[in-house]
DNA sequence: CCAAAAGTGTTGATGATACACCCATGT
DNA sequence: ACATGGGTGTATCATCAACACTTTTGG
């Protein structure tokens, strides 16, 4: 059977919360096309490899990161998106805890975190892919327990709230947020430990619980 | 540059509401592999064609249907999903109004509607793809105006409610549903016309309005 | 008149927001 | 003592489920 040959790649929108910014992992391209421009990390899918496996492998290669969460985002296959040949890319979204710096991996020694608000003029159609990934992350925080993927294995309610505030760019009431998340059964698993902090009352430490969905959802509407 | 060659296809989960069932469009395979089994309609992406364009073209070829809504669903690319060669398929979800029957198209003269509850043992990994499409449709009815895509250009509130009841498999209160949808600004656009009906008070006819999102959402939870 | 389906009003429960207030720690 | 941030109580407001009720047609 004759069929048109395509190259298939995976690209990764890797997001984290650093300080006051939602950041994406970008690599500087070392070859044409788009030489010198920033791009999302990614690479070819191997002949015997599933799409999810390819995404996991690329993420491990580009960064030594703990992966909080990895899911398929969408596929992009405009005929002219790569000037060399016909390429369809299956983009994936990864949410990871804040790491000191992405450890230099094999593919991309110069991978670095860039606030998504400043990530512009990326190679290929990666502006669009990044925007879709950010929008997906914002939407999913509303009704899933995904925000915990941005935190380390143990975290306080205030750290979790910080994630929501940074991703949504909106202040939340600490009191109501606390009641909401501690009142959702299965969301948070108290460790019994507390943190020593710089100048306030110590906070309870939690691990993420078994709940995946948030019911009822947290809303980001202005109202 | 060397890269592993892949075939890329689009597959379509085409859903409609017929009577008391949510139905999917299936075609009987006329060749190996999976000869004689049911499958989702689909085909190869052409060399100069976008993914969305390929989905639109296939949908037009397989059916002469009015397309209420078409969106990308997900991609599937397990190495062994097609025994002949490495194929990655980009599945799309289409919601269409109830049509008397899919008109025999070029590719699939025997395309037909099958209730999703009875669609089993499909070719390739299409059981999984269909299940993902149905779940996506169910979820999106909650917070978008997508249900109108299942209706014709003009419809009554009761017809729209019927869509929700069939897709969710759950009875809704007619009074509360009516208030909810007519009270959401931009969702429904009254035509001023009414229907003549079999034995009750005539209903107002509506067209779908400009609103895409439902705020607040309609919930399908049991509570 | 009666049946059937459209559409309205009202009520009690539930959840969200806003904010006053108390608790535990470092300096 | 007091600043800082963690955590609780409570009033007000919006929304929802439930259901009695009225309206408009066909037989």
């Amino acid at each position: 059977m004759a069929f048109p040959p395509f190259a298939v790649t995976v690209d990764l929108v890797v997001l984290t919360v650093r300080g006051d910014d939602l950041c994406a992992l970008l690599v500087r391209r070392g070859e044409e096309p788009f030489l010198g421009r920033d791009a999302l990390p990614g690479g070819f899918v191997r002949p015997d490899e599933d799409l999810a496996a390819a995404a996991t492998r690329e993420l491990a290669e580009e960064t030594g990161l703990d992966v909080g969460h990895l899911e398929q985002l969408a596929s992009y296959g405009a005929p002219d998106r790569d000037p060399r040949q016909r390429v369809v890319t299956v983009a994936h979204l990864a949410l990871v805890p804040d790491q000191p710096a992405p450890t230099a991996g094999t593919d991309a020694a110069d991978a670095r975190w860039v606030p998504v608000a400043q990530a512009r003029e990326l190679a290929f159609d990666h502006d669009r892919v990044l925007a879709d990934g950010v929008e997906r992350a914002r939407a999913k925080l509303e009704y899933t327990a995904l925000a915990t993927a941005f935190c380390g294995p143990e975290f306080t309610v205030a750290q979790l709230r910080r994630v929501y505030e940074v991703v949504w760019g909106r202040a939340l009431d600490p009191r109501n947020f606390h009641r909401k998340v501690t009142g959702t059964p299965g969301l948070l698993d108290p460790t019994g430990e507390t943190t020593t902090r710089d100048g306030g009352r110590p906070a309870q430490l939690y691990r993420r619980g078994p709940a995946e969905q948030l019911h009822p959802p947290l809303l980001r509407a202005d109202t």
Side-chain angles (χ1 to χ4, degrees), chain A:
Chain A
M1 170 191 304
F3 64 91
F6 286 69
V8 176
T9 59
V10 290
D11 284 327
L12 290 161
V13 177
V14 188
L15 300 179
T16 200
V17 171
R18 286 172 72 82
D20 290 339
D21 291 302
L22 177 65
C23 294
L25 190 67
L26 298 181
V27 297
R28 184 84 61 177
R29 281 187 62 78
E31 56 188 319
E32 290 292 350
F34 300 105
L35 193 152
R37 293 271 278 278
D38 284 330
L40 298 174
F44 290 106
V45 177
R46 296 181 177 166
D48 56 352
E49 187 180 51
D50 189 14
L51 300 175
T56 305
R57 175 180 54 75
E58 286 289 343
L59 186 56
E61 284 179 5
E62 307 274 349
T63 74
L65 303 177
D66 291 351
V67 182
H69 175 84
L70 180 63
E71 69 177 43
Q72 193 184 105
L73 180 56
S75 297
Y76 302 82
D80 57 353
R81 63 179 296 278
D82 188 320
R84 293 167 297 180
Q85 75 215 16
R86 189 69 201 269
V87 179
V88 169
T89 192
V90 183
H92 289 251
L93 174 65
L95 309 185
V96 304
D98 185 15
Q99 320 268 150
T103 57
T106 60
D107 279 14
D110 53 350
R112 68 206 194 287
W113 294 115
V114 177
V116 294
Q118 294 163 32
R120 289 264 155 36
E121 314 245 317
L122 303 184
F124 307 106
D125 49 6
H126 288 181
D127 281 325
R128 175 73 191 289
V129 179
L130 176 59
D132 289 349
V134 169
E135 182 48 37
R136 173 91 133 245
R138 286 187 173 138
K140 286 198 96 167
L141 287 206
E142 285 197 351
Y143 60 96
T144 71
L146 219 62
T148 55
F150 282 118
C151 300
E154 300 192 349
F155 51 89
T156 67
V157 172
Q159 286 169 348
L160 188 64
R161 177 167 48 84
R162 187 104 204 93
V163 166
Y164 275 91
E165 292 183 331
V166 169
V167 174
W168 286 350
R170 173 178 179 237
L172 297 174
D173 186 301
R175 288 78 62 111
N176 293 333
F177 183 85
H178 185 276
R179 210 191 340 258
K180 183 96 175 195
V181 296
T182 55
T184 300
L187 179 62
L188 296 181
D189 189 18
T191 64
E193 306 282 307
T194 55
T195 33
T196 295
R197 303 199 7 76
D198 45 319
R201 170 174 168 177
Q204 289 276 350
L205 278 172
Y206 297 89
R207 290 193 203 86
R208 63 172 309 178
E212 290 290 333
Q213 302 293 317
L214 238 48
H215 238 60
L218 235 61
L219 294 180
R220 71 188 207 262
D222 318 321
T223 311

